[in-house]
Amino acid sequence: MPAAVSPSSAPPHAATASEAIDRPVPAAFLCRFEVSLPRVGDGVVEPPFELPEAARLPHFGALDDLPQFAEIRLGWTPAGLAVAVVVTGKTARPEASAKAVGGGDGLHLWIDTRPTGTSHRAGRYCRRFALLPRVGKVGKVGVYEVPIMKGEDASVAEPLPVPVQAETERSGNYRLEAFLPAEELPGFDPSRSAAIAVHTVVTDGELGAQPLTVSGAFPTGHDPSLWTRATLDG
């Protein structure tokens, strides 16, 4: 899908982040990324659905040789955002605990519906979601809103009543699709604002973590200036 990448001067906290990980600043940290999200059919509100190739997010982490084992697609309608993730290469089923969803195997998605690109603090338009294919002993699929907090991860959360479906193979590979309605995305209004900011991390006990851009050594969990700008096309 089209993606703009532009070098930029490092944000004010770049030196601190670099010292914290004690190695050269990752290439992905030195770029500003922008992706285009396609408008999908207004009937795409209930899984299963097929999102187009144009909805596939690039793996910018490849600039720093971060692993890729998942494909993520994201599209929009005036009613909300459609999300799909496919994870392959597994030999064991994914797991997550309802008491600590922030660390569960699955797709972790951050959204800012009114991005400024400069704020380092998650505000009222920022949300974090955990989309988990198998939660608890019964292995039930779920979508959770996870509090965004600086420092310790407050990950106890209640499942959201949103449309979601997951299929997990015996090998552990899985496909998950969900629709996040506008009611769960404060400030989401494509008629007024044609851009949002997104960040994704697919976590897996076997395969590790696949971030959209830089690794968790940087404060991507609560700093929206590190998220990727996404224009709502169509």
Side-chain angles (χ1 to χ4, degrees):
M1 62 182 293
V5 184
S6 60
S8 65
S9 57
H13 59 277
T16 301
S18 178
E19 292 166 2
I21 59 177
D22 193 29
R23 64 180 178 83
V25 176
F29 186 70
L30 300 176
C31 298
R32 301 294 188 194
F33 300 104
E34 183 171 331
V35 299
S36 300
L37 304 183
R39 177 170 178 168
V40 295
D42 292 347
V44 179
V45 295
E46 189 77 34
F49 44 66
E50 291 290 336
L51 298 182
E53 174 65 20
R56 181 170 59 86
L57 295 181
H59 176 47
F60 297 119
L63 291 172
D64 298 296
D65 298 320
L66 298 181
Q68 181 176 17
F69 51 84
E71 178 186 285
I72 305 166
R73 299 193 181 200
L74 189 60
W76 70 277
T77 79
L81 297 173
V83 189
V85 58
V86 177
V87 172
T88 57
K90 293 181 57 56
T91 61
R93 291 183 175 179
E95 297 181 355
S97 169
K99 296 182 179 180
V101 297
D105 294 346
L107 170 62
H108 298 265
L109 172 66
W110 288 258
I111 300 287
D112 183 355
T113 60
R114 299 293 175 88
T116 65
T118 57
S119 175
H120 298 293
R121 182 176 180 179
R124 58 175 174 161
Y125 298 121
C126 298
R127 290 293 184 273
R128 176 186 174 184
F129 302 95
L131 293 78
L132 310 175
R134 297 184 74 253
V135 181
K137 294 182 179 179
V138 297
K140 185 177 181 181
V141 62
V143 176
Y144 298 76
E145 182 183 344
V146 183
I148 297 179
M149 297 186 65
K150 184 176 182 179
E152 185 177 352
D153 181 16
S155 57
V156 175
E158 293 295 323
L160 296 175
V162 304
V164 60
Q165 176 177 297
E167 296 180 0
T168 303
E169 300 175 1
R170 183 173 299 180
S171 65
N173 294 339
Y174 65 88
R175 177 185 182 89
L176 183 150
E177 299 161 339
F179 187 81
L180 301 175
E183 303 86 79
E184 303 294 344
L185 301 166
F188 182 77
D189 185 354
S191 67
R192 297 183 59 186
S193 178
I196 62 175
V198 303
H199 184 64
T200 63
V201 180
V202 180
T203 59
D204 190 273
E206 279 188 277
L207 305 174
Q210 178 186 313
L212 178 61
T213 53
V214 293
S215 73
F218 292 86
T220 51
H222 62 266
D223 185 346
S225 73
L226 298 176
W227 302 352
T228 298
R229 182 178 177 86
T231 57
L232 307 180
D233 282 357

